[in-house]
Amino acid sequence: MSTLRDLAEEHTALRPADIDHLHRIAGDWQLLSDLSFADLLLWVPVDGDGTFLCVAQVRPTTAPTAYLDDQVGRIVGGAEVAHLEVAHRQGRIWREGDPVWYGDVPARHEAIPVRLRTGDGEAGEVIAVVGRDTNLSTARTPSQLELNYLTTADDLAQMIADGTFPPPRHPGETTSAPRVGDGLVRLDANGKVTYASPNAQSAYRRLGYASHLVGEDLAKLHRRLAGDPLEGTDAGNAVLAALRGEAPPRREIDARGATMLTRALPLMPAGVPIGALVLVRDITEVRRRDRALITKDATIREIHHRVKNNLQTVAALLRLQARRVAMPEARVALEESVRRVASIALVHETLSLSSDEAVEFDGIVDRVASAATEVAATEVSVGMRRRGTFGILPAEIATSLVMVLNELLLNAVEHGFPPADEEAPAPPPVDAPRPEAGISAPRPEVVVTAHRARKQLHVTVTDNGRGLPEQFDAERGGNLGLQIVRALVTGELRGTIELRNGADGGTEAAIVVPLARGTTDRLTGRAGPP
Ligand SMILES: Nc1ncnc2c1ncn2[C@@H]1O[C@H](COP(=O)(O)OP(=O)(O)OP(=O)(O)O)[C@@H](O)[C@H]1O
Ligand SMILES: [Mg+2]
């Protein structure tokens, strides 16, 4: 569907500043629609031919709509838009005329010219027309609330015609809340309440004000409620600012464990300040949930911290045991378990430091890698390198992946570069001669690469060691280490793994892991390979 901007640019001669103003209207006009109990349609004159194009539409949340069909994009001419023509040409609000019928819905039409004030504050020319169309099928004698809404709506309509509504938006402010139905208070020019809707009355009651609002000085009341009678609270000052004709940002009042959001709007039809409109919303529940979420975050971090501590205790116990057993095989097995447990602890440690359930994985890989080289440190010195970046990974991927890498790195160090006394190293394969061969043997090295492409994480662990044993079944072969790797990659990570002899001898393990949506674009600033 075309946007307001697309439609206006395609069919009209409006300037960018005009279109911005229309955007501001469409961002804030739910208020007018609700107060008017009417649909609002934003019409712009199509270049030169007397027709009008509807570029935006809003339905009231307080009354039935006059239009079941979407009107945006309609171009209309002739009798149907005669009232828009009058408002546009004469620059005045048009509200005479008999009800018209839309199918079986009787509707009253009004037309409000839209002006954009010039830079020096003069009322500028009319750039568009707001059609205000009320479904009359449920019309009855209006209640006190409805009369107050309608009066206020007329003031705002006049302000659209003056170019003083909507007020400029404050950066970062939402336009959605509070709404008319949340609670509405009307003030006279002296700041005294002339009307408060039942919901507004209830919102103030939660803050501890139980009497009737009508007749109260609202700025003073806000100060009193916030327990700040001398200084004047933000919410008190906001009311005063609105009475002066300014449009202050939304403010919150906290009192007695309750929180109320307020929005004060100046009322100055035809440039005369006649009071202010204050919309209020009880947001105690929303704030309570915000606070609960923050505590929950802290709790999760604390839990990761404890899991890490517990895993480290388990590792320490296994290490103790390893020192005590005499059988070398058993000792090696226990020492390997220590490393497996420690690598998981590393992920939980990182998680306990971050505020979300995701970790910067490069640091973890580097630590696991240097732990793996230590295994071989006394026998063969193996270099470790990481190329590219893993970026930020969600916790569930990180915990499995760190175990996988731990096993592959240990294998590379343990089997790729066995100690000299274990067995004579196999001669380099005849069909893969190494250019360096004969000059000097290449330095033992393991390289981990990582890059992301098409929502997948590609990881390789490559060593330049002696390669997989002959007759090794790369699909199924191996002991516990590779079993863990395959189970985690194809199970938890839903990825694939391939184990093969590297192009220049050595062994290469290639892993591809799909990344869930939302994690792919969360790379850190560090650049990886394309
Ligand atoms: N990078 C490598 N270079 C050479 N051989 C390897 C490499 N990785 C694995 N292998 C071979 O595959 C075998 C199986 O590895 P796997 O990790 O499953 O078991 P393991 O390392 O022997 O014991 P553990 O269960 O303690 O890890 C190894 O014994 C080794 O022969
Ligand atoms: Mg192994």
Side-chain angles (χ1 to χ4, degrees):
M1 208 198 81
S2 306
T3 64
L4 192 164
R5 190 173 300 275
D6 294 341
L7 286 168
E9 279 173 357
E10 188 179 336
H11 296 280
T12 72
L14 290 175
R15 299 158 301 175
D18 299 336
I19 298 177
D20 285 345
H21 187 64
L22 298 185
H23 265 291
R24 269 200 300 282
I25 289 184
D28 232 344
W29 68 350
Q30 184 75 54
L31 176 62
L32 177 61
S33 173
D34 289 347
L35 289 171
S36 307
F37 307 98
D39 292 73
L40 301 180
L41 305 183
L42 187 54
W43 296 97
V44 291
V46 176
D47 234 1
D49 67 355
T51 59
F52 283 84
L53 161 71
C54 179
V55 292
Q57 169 180 19
V58 65
R59 296 191 173 88
T61 61
T62 47
T65 179
Y67 298 99
L68 293 174
D69 298 329
D70 197 274
Q71 304 290 307
V72 175
R74 268 188 79 204
I75 296 185
V76 185
E80 201 186 324
V81 293
H83 63 300
L84 303 177
E85 222 294 300
V86 175
H88 188 253
R89 190 164 26 87
Q90 302 182 2
R92 67 177 179 92
I93 296 178
W94 183 96
R95 62 181 68 193
E96 48 268 25
D98 296 325
V100 285
W101 289 79
Y102 273 96
D104 48 5
V105 177
R108 183 179 56 234
H109 275 181
E110 293 170 77
I112 306 159
V114 175
R115 277 202 185 77
L116 173 62
R117 290 186 94 71
T118 58
D120 44 18
E122 296 293 310
E125 52 190 301
V126 176
I127 57 170
V129 181
V130 170
R132 177 161 68 163
D133 303 333
T134 313
N135 179 338
L136 295 176
S137 59
T138 57
R140 57 203 148 83
T141 318
S143 66
Q144 181 70 22
L145 176 144
E146 284 164 328
L147 284 174
N148 270 288
Y149 278 19
L150 289 169
T151 315
T152 309
D154 285 343
D155 293 336
L156 292 180
Q158 183 58 51
M159 288 169 69
I160 286 184
D162 302 340
T164 52
F165 182 88
R169 196 175 296 171
H170 297 273
E173 218 177 11
T174 59
T175 53
S176 54
R179 290 195 172 193
V180 169
D182 295 326
L184 174 138
V185 181
R186 199 183 149 116
L187 308 181
D188 65 14
N190 299 317
K192 295 271 191 317
V193 176
T194 58
Y195 176 75
S197 74
N199 277 347
Q201 194 73 55
S202 301
Y204 280 92
R205 208 186 168 90
R206 290 211 61 182
L207 291 180
Y209 182 78
S211 326
H212 269 292
L213 281 161
V214 173
E216 274 288 335
D217 181 323
L218 199 70
K220 282 194 184 135
L221 176 64
H222 282 184
R223 292 172 185 177
R224 238 181 18 246
L225 289 174
D228 198 10
L230 293 176
E231 293 285 306
T233 60
D234 280 348
N237 289 339
V239 171
L240 297 177
L243 291 170
R244 283 196 303 271
E246 299 159 20
R250 290 159 173 79
R251 300 289 191 197
E252 290 180 16
I253 305 178
D254 284 297
R256 308 219 314 185
T259 309
M260 188 171 77
L261 180 66
T262 72
R263 183 187 183 197
L265 283 162
L267 288 177
M268 37 194 256
V272 184
I274 58 163
L277 184 66
V278 180
L279 297 168
V280 300
R281 180 174 172 213
D282 178 1
I283 54 166
T284 312
E285 264 314 293
V286 179
R287 286 289 169 270
R288 196 188 58 72
R289 261 180 272 139
D290 285 353
R291 276 193 293 274
L293 274 181
I294 291 167
T295 355
K296 198 168 147 227
D297 268 7
T299 314
I300 290 173
R301 280 207 297 281
E302 175 61 20
I303 289 172
H304 282 304
H305 184 75
R306 290 188 194 175
V307 171
K308 178 214 93 180
N309 283 349
N310 290 350
L311 288 172
Q312 284 180 342
T313 310
V314 172
L317 288 173
L318 291 172
R319 201 175 295 122
L320 264 180
Q321 189 112 52
R323 287 205 200 111
R324 278 160 188 252
V325 294
M327 213 199 309
E329 256 179 49
R331 178 175 317 140
V332 169
L334 283 169
E335 278 168 356
E336 246 158 41
S337 298
V338 170
R339 278 194 292 277
R340 283 178 183 137
V341 173
S343 73
I344 309 173
L346 212 54
V347 174
H348 285 281
E349 180 180 357
T350 317
L351 283 170
S352 74
L353 301 175
S354 80
S355 57
D356 51 10
E357 283 289 277
V359 287
E360 218 274 74
F361 201 67
D362 291 345
I364 296 182
V365 174
D366 294 349
R367 285 169 70 181
V368 170
S370 71
T373 49
E374 275 167 29
V375 179
T378 49
E379 293 134 2
V380 190
S381 147
V382 181
M384 282 281 176
R385 270 200 301 141
R386 174 171 53 77
R387 278 216 301 265
T389 179
F390 287 82
I392 296 181
L393 293 180
E396 62 279 10
I397 292 186
T399 2
S400 300
L401 194 58
V402 74
M403 288 173 74
V404 168
L405 289 175
N406 185 48
E407 294 303 328
L408 294 174
L409 289 166
L410 282 176
N411 276 359
V413 172
E414 283 177 349
H415 307 300
F417 315 100
D421 59 343
E422 193 175 286
E423 62 183 276
V430 191
D431 54 340
R434 297 181 195 170
E436 316 94 310
I439 307 163
S440 68
R443 191 174 109 73
E445 190 177 50
V446 182
V447 181
V448 181
T449 70
H451 78 271
R452 293 176 178 216
R454 281 186 244 108
K455 304 202 168 173
Q456 287 180 327
L457 178 65
H458 298 255
V459 180
T460 64
V461 178
T462 316
D463 64 62
N464 58 357
R466 65 173 172 179
L468 292 167
E470 260 175 69
Q471 266 44 138
F472 182 80
D473 181 355
E475 295 272 315
R476 272 175 296 276
N479 301 322
L480 181 61
L482 285 179
Q483 268 171 36
I484 294 178
V485 169
R486 290 201 193 91
L488 286 173
V489 171
T490 55
E492 307 275 299
L493 295 171
R494 289 197 206 87
T496 56
I497 173 155
E498 204 185 317
L499 212 59
R500 56 193 171 218
N501 279 313
D504 322 314
T507 307
E508 177 172 284
I511 303 171
V512 181
V513 175
L515 293 164
R517 240 176 301 137
T519 60
T520 42
D521 42 1
R522 297 187 59 203
L523 278 167
T524 51
R526 240 177 293 173

